[in-house]
Amino acid sequence: IQDGNPSDAKEAFRTVLDFNDQFAPAHYGMALAAYRAGSSQGEKGTYSEQSTYHANLAANLFSKFAGSHRLLGRIYVDIEEPEKAVVAFVRSLATDRSRDLGVLREVATAYLMTGVHDEMRGRALDSLKVTVDEAKLLPMVAQACESQGALDIATQYYGRALSKMTPEAQKHFQDISLIATKEELEGFQATAEDPAARREYLVRFWSSRDPDLMTNVNERKLEHYRRVWYAMTDYSEKVKPWDRRGEVYVRYGPPEYRSTSAQVAPPMP
């Protein structure tokens, strides 16, 4: 494969599988060889059936190898099945919390391909598709993980995203002023000069909003991070960190319906 001879590689792996058809590395090799053969001819989808078959077998036989899941993700992206690609990529992250920028871009791209953020304005959506900024990529990776129920991985990637952000951006994610009660906000503001007290206050604040204390993640906090990210991405063209729409979005979440000035608004429920 490395010498650019995927056909010879397939023959070699076939010999191994004839001897032991349960050998996961050989199935992975067959999948990779078929994928590379299609790529070298400029037709990545040409060998999708064969590469998908062997990559799935490799993943099932040895699920802890991230490479098989990652290859499946790439195949599904090529044949335009982004939902399956997200599933495969998240499984790869479950075994390997990748920091590789290329891998993270693949996960984020597959997630965007599902159409989950198609309601974004064109400029904001286009910027996400070409960004190399980890602070922008990692929240999308986290959301991809969250969409598959991998909440612990999502929490880790949001944490990485925050570590890559500027101090000013971090403040917006940590600010609870739009969702706290009057009494809670007074307590929060009282810790402004004491970082340790503020951290402790935020732990208590989010614990009180954790919808499921039986899990080791806080689903409401993840949702808050997603809302803040969305507001800063789509509602910040003229006003930083976001305009009035962003404030409403952070406070209440996504609208139940949308309309533009060119549309007749549906009746209010």
Side-chain angles (χ1 to χ4, degrees), residues 117 120 128 139-140 143 225-233:
H117 289 312
M120 275 190 176
L128 292 179
M140 286 189 288
Q143 290 171 51
Y225 282 169
R226 188 197 63 77
R227 292 182 188 182
V228 171
W229 170 85
Y230 190 98
M232 292 179 69
T233 302

Side-chain angles (χ1 to χ4, degrees), residues 205-236:
F205 174 84
W206 285 115
S207 293
S208 69
R209 280 166 169 72
D210 191 343
D212 188 354
L213 296 176
M214 298 301 292
T215 65
N216 59 359
V217 296
N218 189 321
E219 295 84 353
R220 180 62 183 88
K221 188 176 183 180
L222 287 178
E223 170 63 11
H224 180 69
Y225 282 169
R226 188 197 63 77
R227 292 182 188 182
V228 171
W229 170 85
Y230 190 98
M232 292 179 69
T233 302
D234 199 35
Y235 297 134
S236 60

Side-chain angles (χ1 to χ4, degrees), residues 150-259:
L151 304 185
D152 55 335
I153 308 176
T155 300
Q156 291 180 29
Y157 276 108
Y158 269 125
R160 286 192 198 176
L162 286 168
S163 71
K164 300 291 183 180
M165 294 178 188
T166 64
E168 185 65 24
Q170 290 176 6
K171 288 180 182 178
H172 299 312
F173 280 82
Q174 296 166 351
D175 183 18
I176 59 173
S177 59
L178 292 177
I179 59 174
T181 65
K182 180 180 178 181
E183 292 76 15
E184 289 172 332
L185 186 56
E186 290 175 352
F188 178 69
Q189 292 172 339
T191 65
E193 303 301 323
D194 189 340
R198 169 150 293 190
R199 287 193 296 271
E200 182 179 345
Y201 187 88
L202 286 173
V203 169
R204 295 198 307 271
F205 174 84
W206 285 115
S207 293
S208 69
R209 280 166 169 72
D210 191 343
D212 188 354
L213 296 176
M214 298 301 292
T215 65
N216 59 359
V217 296
N218 189 321
E219 295 84 353
R220 180 62 183 88
K221 188 176 183 180
L222 287 178
E223 170 63 11
H224 180 69
Y225 282 169
R226 188 197 63 77
R227 292 182 188 182
V228 171
W229 170 85
Y230 190 98
M232 292 179 69
T233 302
D234 199 35
Y235 297 134
S236 60
E237 185 175 1
K238 296 180 180 180
V239 181
K240 303 297 181 182
W242 48 67
D243 57 24
R244 175 62 176 166
R245 294 171 300 171
E247 179 179 327
V248 173
Y249 192 95
V250 173
R251 191 187 297 273
Y252 300 110
E256 294 183 0
Y257 59 85
R258 297 172 183 269
S259 65

